[in-house]
Amino acid sequence: MIYPENFEYKVGFDKIRQFICNHCLSALGKERVEEIGFSGDAAVIAGQLAQTDEFVHILQGDRPFPSDHFTDVRYALKRIRPEGTFLDEQELFDLKGSLQTIHDILRFFRTGETETTCPALTALAGTVPVFPQLIREIDAILDKYGKVKDQASAELMRIRREMTVTLGSISRNLQAILRSAQTEGFVDKDVAPTMRDGRLVIPVAPAFKRKIRGIVHDESASGKTVFIEPEAVVEANNRIRELENRERREIIHILTALTDMIRPLVPEILQSCTFLAEIDFIRAKALFAIQIHAIKPTLADRPLIDWSAAVHPLLYLSHRKQNKPVEPLDITLNDDGRLLIISGPNAGGKSVCLKTVGLLQYMLQCGLLIPLHERSSAGLFARIFIDIGDEQSIENDLSTYSSHLTHMKFFVRNGHERTLLLVDEFGSGTEPLIGGAIAEALLERFHRNRCFGVITTHYQNLKQYAGRTDGVVNGAMLYDRHHMQPLFKLSIGNPGSSFAIEIARKIGLPEDVIAEAAGKVGADYIGMDKFLQDIVRDKRYWENKRQNIRRQEKQLEDLTARYEQDLAALNSRQKEIMTTAKVQAEQILAEANTRIEHTIREIKEAQADKERTKSARKTLDAFKTAVLAPGEDDERTLRKMHKLRERQEGKKRLPPQPPSAPAPASGQEAPAVGDAVRLKGQLPVGLILEINNKQAVISFGMIKSTVKIDRLEKVSRELLKKETRQHTFISHRTADEMYEKTLTFKQEIDVRGMRGDEALQAVTYFIDDAIRIDARRVRILHGTGTGILRQLIRDYLHSVPGVKQYQDEHVQFGGAGITVVELE
């Protein structure tokens, strides 16, 4: 049930209907579009959505869908019901095209692949009759241009052959007469025979019309040419006329015979035409769904709205032409929150939000796909009521408020637990106090009736009612207080502010008028309005924080997965290298045993011959040297093993720092170039590069330093190697972190709207990150306001060692509202 009668006009569905009509190929489909209606039957709606969704996949697939001839032949078929009537050539040609298209469509659906992927459409095509024999009969009579063939009957072929012979004879006689007339100068050289009233004639100047014997059939509009049929061809032309009449009678005879064959099949053909209309209709809906990026949501047979990224289709199409984005809508209506009270500034998107809900729900229950995110769920309502716009009527003696109350009376009497109510500017149009009271009483009745609904309002008492009543929730259309413009985003959970004071100030209303108005409503009211604004601002702030955390968590998950993959690859490579090394070692041992046995045998055979014994020993020593000497492959293998060990150690947690070594004894030798040393009482270990008098140049990793020799103490080389490995691991880890930070760092931060401590904390983190990634210039957007926030930030910047200087931005780019910071 839909209320009022002009519901489709109010939500804009009439325009949706026209868009779908434009995609239809024939009057068949357009009639089905006009028949679109609201349904509450879950099975019917699910079937329609499935058919459209399957057709979307067909249109987006690789196989072309047969759509050549969608012609409405119903009128012609109904006209031939009486005996003796017949289909003309064009009607028969259209019928053949439609039947062939139906045949091709059914063959498309009954192939194995489509039958599996499109069950709903395949079921629709299951019982549709086809007429291959009738198609062949029509093909035997009509050619590819829709004209009756010569071979349609023996009599027709004989008639047309005689016509061809007669026309050839007429043409030859006319050409002879024409050449003679041209020779005598009666006719111009470039003149040729032409047709008048179906008869071949010769164009002649009026002055010479009596020079050629014959019948004058016509003259030109200017009177400068007459058209004469020479008497020599009059009889032949009469014969042509007779043959044409016979030809027409034979064609009618052929068409009548074929129509008599078609007449008993008319009911079945009309059934097939109904299927063709349905396919045209579904195809048009699928094309429109592709146009607005619509999907089939998860459907529930109960009242439910759980939509994510919902978009008003008409607004989307309009903005797409202007290359403007559309802000999607996230909205939920369920048993825990059946009634949503939306508040917010004027022109902030409240009415658009309400119309979006009404239009998309109506489209869904008309069997149309709707533009939502795939994770959305949608339910079904038995009734949808709407009250939006000004419907005052002079004829019916209705004011705007009277019309509004008339709708409310209908809502109260007919609303129940499966009703969706859509009310815009609830309670407006009369004195605010009593209007708000009546609106609250109506809202209480809707709540008791367990209706679902979206209601927009500016009344504070309705916001308060939603805040204290289970099942009724507040919602706010967000507004950017700094730029003084609506964001067109719906935030559910808190009421919205109308921002009347701010909008009045933006428009330029005198400040004393605004102050007087604020005084009249009282500080408590203004304070409550600011409290609502602060709630919305804080929610936006924490929502942005949550999104940033989610994004960082996603990056962390990606990095973790990448490192785990690399570690698995390293472990696998290590196993391969160890396996290869074991195989090579076994080969070397086997060969060594063979050589030793061979040498022993040679010595025994030589029987103490010194030369041969010496030669055998020499050969064995050469083999030993070759085994011990590392080749290229051995060196490569050792390098890989070393790298693997270093990386695996780097993955582990850093070991605790070693305790300080005791100071060298007084008799210990002084440090020299190349020694490993460290400062007395310190942990880092370095290497002496050079010594100048009592000063030593020491390398601590990538850092060089000059230190007095008496402040140094020697340590072991093993401690230096261990320190180097730890330094390398820390350097790698720090480099990865700095690389990630550099990729995500933005050169400016916006702290407008934050409290002082929040802004100062955000700026502290921001400046620390900028210094770490070696940024040279950053911007802090703090706004002008009273200047307190600006001063707090600059006091902090003055205390930061890495800040070179700070100043106001150029007046063209923000002036005193932005601080530009240059870093060292």
Side-chain angles (χ1 to χ4, degrees):
M1 180 180 179
I2 298 299
Y3 179 85
E5 293 182 357
N6 61 346
F7 179 93
E8 291 189 0
Y9 171 76
K10 284 180 174 290
V11 299
F13 188 78
D14 55 330
K15 297 183 177 65
I16 300 293
R17 197 188 296 271
Q18 186 57 50
F19 274 110
I20 299 174
C21 267
N22 294 338
H23 288 297
C24 290
L25 296 172
S26 68
L28 296 167
K30 292 179 180 179
E31 287 183 10
R32 285 290 291 111
V33 173
E34 294 301 323
E35 295 171 1
I36 291 177
F38 177 83
S39 173
D41 191 325
V44 171
I45 295 170
Q48 293 174 344
L49 294 176
Q51 291 171 355
T52 309
D53 186 55
E54 290 173 5
F55 217 111
V56 167
H57 289 92
I58 289 174
L59 294 175
Q60 293 175 338
D62 297 330
R63 291 180 62 198
F65 185 79
S67 57
D68 293 333
H69 297 283
F70 279 74
T71 310
D72 187 2
V73 295
R74 292 172 299 173
Y75 172 76
L77 292 174
K78 293 175 182 178
R79 186 177 58 79
I80 64 170
R81 286 176 178 174
E83 293 288 339
T85 55
F86 62 90
L87 295 172
D88 62 29
E89 292 171 292
Q90 185 59 48
E91 291 171 340
L92 200 59
F93 187 68
D94 290 342
L95 176 61
K96 180 253 180 180
S98 296
L99 295 178
Q100 185 63 56
T101 300
I102 294 170
H103 183 269
D104 293 342
I105 291 173
L106 294 177
R107 185 170 56 187
F108 181 91
F109 286 135
R110 289 170 181 171
T111 57
E113 179 183 353
T114 308
E115 194 170 3
T116 304
T117 57
C118 303
L121 291 173
T122 303
L124 180 66
T127 60
V128 177
V130 292
F131 307 91
Q133 180 61 35
L134 182 56
I135 294 172
R136 286 193 292 271
E137 291 290 341
I138 298 175
D139 275 338
I141 292 175
L142 300 182
D143 61 16
K144 61 181 180 180
Y145 303 108
K147 300 299 180 183
V148 177
K149 297 179 179 178
D150 295 348
Q151 299 84 359
S153 72
E155 178 63 17
L156 183 61
M157 180 176 290
R158 191 187 65 79
I159 292 171
R160 287 183 174 175
R161 282 179 180 175
E162 187 175 348
M163 287 176 65
T164 302
V165 172
T166 306
L167 284 172
S169 174
I170 293 173
S171 179
R172 288 191 298 272
N173 289 337
L174 278 180
Q175 289 294 340
I177 294 171
L178 184 60
R179 282 195 299 270
S180 174
Q182 288 173 342
T183 302
E184 295 179 7
F186 302 151
V187 180
D188 293 337
K189 296 292 184 183
D190 56 349
V191 169
T194 185
M195 295 288 291
R196 278 294 186 271
D197 297 329
R199 304 175 77 90
L200 283 168
V201 295
I202 297 175
V204 181
F208 301 107
K209 65 181 179 180
R210 301 197 180 277
K211 299 295 183 179
I212 300 176
R213 296 176 61 83
I215 301 172
V216 176
H217 281 278
D218 198 2
E219 68 177 18
S220 64
S222 63
K224 295 181 179 180
T225 305
V226 294
F227 299 93
I228 300 174
E229 180 185 12
E231 64 179 9
V233 297
V234 170
E235 286 299 324
N237 273 332
N238 290 339
R239 180 60 179 165
I240 290 295
R241 283 296 182 90
E242 293 175 4
L243 291 173
E244 287 175 348
N245 290 333
R246 289 175 57 188
E247 178 192 34
R248 189 158 42 252
R249 287 194 297 271
E250 181 61 22
I251 288 175
I252 291 174
H253 175 73
I254 295 169
L255 295 177
T256 302
L258 185 57
T259 303
D260 291 341
M261 183 189 303
I262 295 172
R263 190 173 291 110
L265 302 174
V266 166
E268 296 180 8
I269 296 176
L270 288 175
Q271 180 185 348
S272 297
C273 290
T274 302
F275 168 74
L276 196 63
E278 195 68 24
I279 291 297
D280 191 13
F281 172 55
I282 297 172
R283 175 183 174 276
K285 291 195 297 182
L287 287 171
F288 181 67
I290 294 173
Q291 186 179 2
I292 62 173
H293 303 290
I295 64 153
K296 182 184 75 170
T298 302
L299 197 63
D301 188 12
R302 61 186 176 87
L304 172 68
I305 291 179
D306 186 9
W307 297 348
S308 176
V311 175
H312 193 293
L314 299 177
L315 190 64
Y316 168 75
L317 294 175
S318 174
H319 281 206
R320 187 173 64 178
K321 293 179 181 178
Q322 307 170 32
N323 293 322
K324 292 168 57 179
V326 176
E327 192 64 43
L329 171 69
D330 296 340
I331 185 169
T332 300
L333 295 180
N334 52 32
D335 292 334
D336 295 331
R338 298 187 309 277
L339 292 169
L340 175 62
I341 310 301
I342 301 178
S343 51
N346 288 318
K350 299 190 300 298
S351 298
V352 173
C353 175
L354 183 140
K355 283 187 174 183
T356 301
V357 173
L359 177 59
L360 294 189
Q361 187 64 40
Y362 188 73
M363 287 175 61
L364 180 73
Q365 297 195 226
C366 288
L368 302 179
L369 304 183
I370 54 178
L372 304 173
H373 193 275
E374 293 177 351
R375 65 174 176 265
S376 302
S377 299
L380 302 178
F381 296 89
R383 300 174 181 179
I384 304 180
F385 302 157
I386 191 170
D387 177 37
I388 187 173
D390 185 359
E391 292 195 6
Q392 59 180 326
S393 172
I394 297 176
E395 294 82 1
N396 298 325
D397 195 22
L398 283 177
S399 66
T400 300
Y401 190 65
S402 299
S403 171
H404 175 73
L405 290 181
T406 301
H407 291 324
M408 294 303 103
K409 179 180 70 173
F410 185 89
F411 291 5
V412 169
R413 288 181 177 178
N414 297 279
H416 55 57
E417 68 278 0
R418 292 181 68 89
T419 301
L420 176 63
L421 307 177
L422 305 169
V423 185
D424 191 32
E425 300 294 347
F426 194 32
S428 63
T430 189
E431 192 271 322
L433 186 61
I434 189 63
I438 293 175
E440 186 173 345
L442 287 169
L443 185 59
E444 173 65 26
R445 178 61 62 88
F446 297 153
H447 179 54
R448 286 208 304 267
N449 292 344
R450 301 188 64 79
C451 298
F452 289 75
V454 177
I455 297 172
T456 69
T457 187
H458 290 282
Y459 287 162
Q460 290 289 351
N461 63 314
L462 299 184
K463 303 177 191 177
Q464 294 167 1
Y465 177 85
R468 66 175 183 267
T469 306
D470 293 336
V472 186
V473 295
N474 273 305
M477 300 307 298
L478 300 183
Y479 191 82
D480 189 335
R481 193 169 51 178
H482 300 291
H483 295 93
M484 297 305 294
Q485 62 184 19
L487 298 176
F488 303 108
K489 290 182 179 179
L490 174 63
S491 174
I492 296 178
N494 294 302
S497 168
S498 296
F499 292 94
I501 298 294
E502 289 79 358
I503 293 175
R505 186 172 285 120
K506 176 187 176 183
I507 291 175
L509 207 63
E511 194 64 33
D512 56 339
V513 174
I514 296 174
E516 185 177 350
K520 288 181 180 296
V521 298
D524 292 341
Y525 187 91
I526 297 297
M528 182 174 64
D529 205 41
K530 289 183 177 179
F531 175 70
L532 291 176
Q533 296 173 18
D534 290 341
I535 290 176
V536 172
R537 183 204 62 201
D538 292 346
K539 187 171 183 179
R540 285 176 54 198
Y541 173 78
W542 290 113
E543 184 66 28
N544 291 334
K545 284 285 188 184
R546 183 168 60 183
Q547 291 178 358
N548 290 335
I549 291 172
R550 287 176 179 172
R551 185 167 56 251
Q552 291 172 1
E553 287 179 346
K554 183 65 170 61
Q555 293 176 351
L556 183 60
E557 289 175 0
D558 293 342
L559 285 173
T560 303
R562 191 180 71 188
Y563 288 148
E564 289 178 351
Q565 185 179 1
D566 291 345
L567 181 59
L570 288 172
N571 290 334
S572 175
R573 183 59 181 159
Q574 181 185 18
K575 291 179 181 178
E576 291 178 4
I577 293 173
M578 292 297 295
T579 302
T580 303
K582 288 179 180 179
V583 171
Q584 291 177 351
E586 290 174 357
Q587 292 176 351
I588 292 172
L589 287 174
E591 188 175 353
N593 290 333
T594 303
R595 291 294 183 100
I596 292 171
E597 291 174 358
H598 180 70
T599 303
I600 293 172
R601 187 169 58 252
E602 284 187 350
I603 292 174
K604 288 181 179 179
E605 291 175 354
Q607 295 180 355
D609 186 344
K610 291 184 178 180
E611 291 298 327
R612 292 187 62 184
T613 301
K614 192 174 183 180
S615 175
R617 290 183 179 278
K618 191 174 182 181
T619 302
L620 184 60
D621 290 339
F623 172 72
K624 180 180 178 181
T625 303
V627 170
L628 295 178
E632 291 184 4
D633 292 339
D634 300 329
E635 292 180 359
R636 189 182 301 113
T637 301
L638 289 172
R639 285 199 301 272
K640 290 180 179 178
M641 293 293 293
H642 182 66
K643 286 183 178 180
L644 281 171
R645 280 194 294 272
E646 284 187 351
R647 290 179 182 176
Q648 286 182 333
E649 289 175 3
K651 297 296 180 182
K652 299 176 183 176
R653 186 174 297 177
L654 284 173
Q657 295 290 349
S660 300
S666 57
Q668 187 176 359
E669 60 178 325
V673 175
D675 287 346
V677 296
R678 67 181 171 195
L679 293 170
K680 294 178 179 179
Q682 301 294 325
L683 296 178
V685 178
L687 186 68
I688 297 179
L689 301 179
E690 58 180 284
I691 295 177
N692 296 320
N693 297 327
K694 296 183 179 180
Q695 302 283 336
V697 178
I698 307 173
S699 170
F700 295 97
M702 300 298 293
I703 302 174
K704 293 181 180 179
S705 178
T706 302
V707 184
K708 292 182 178 179
I709 294 178
D710 56 5
R711 294 184 58 194
L712 300 176
E713 60 182 4
K714 291 180 65 175
V715 296
S716 67
R717 302 287 293 186
E718 290 298 325
L719 193 58
L720 175 62
K721 292 179 181 179
K722 194 170 187 179
E723 183 74 18
T724 303
R725 284 197 300 271
Q726 292 178 0
H727 176 75
T728 302
F729 168 68
I730 293 172
S731 298
H732 283 310
R733 187 179 63 181
T734 305
D736 288 343
E737 292 175 354
M738 292 301 295
Y739 178 70
E740 292 294 329
K741 182 68 70 176
T742 304
L743 287 179
T744 58
F745 184 76
K746 295 182 178 179
Q747 298 292 328
E748 66 179 29
I749 184 174
D750 188 351
V751 296
R752 292 175 296 181
M754 295 185 185
R755 297 185 179 89
D757 54 347
E758 294 176 352
L760 204 57
Q761 184 179 17
V763 170
T764 301
Y765 291 151
F766 176 68
I767 294 298
D768 288 347
D769 290 344
I771 293 174
R772 288 177 63 192
I773 68 167
D774 200 22
R776 289 289 178 257
R777 187 174 186 269
V778 295
R779 301 168 78 239
I780 303 173
L781 283 68
H782 45 65
T784 306
T786 60
I788 296 176
L789 185 59
R790 173 174 176 268
Q791 189 59 43
L792 280 173
I793 292 172
R794 296 201 170 191
D795 289 345
Y796 163 71
L797 293 174
H798 186 71
S799 66
V800 178
V803 175
K804 184 177 181 181
Q805 65 177 17
Y806 51 85
Q807 60 191 13
D808 289 343
E809 178 61 280
H810 191 279
V811 68
Q812 292 183 348
F813 304 110
I818 300 174
T819 296
V820 179
V821 184
E822 295 185 8
L823 304 173
E824 294 180 351

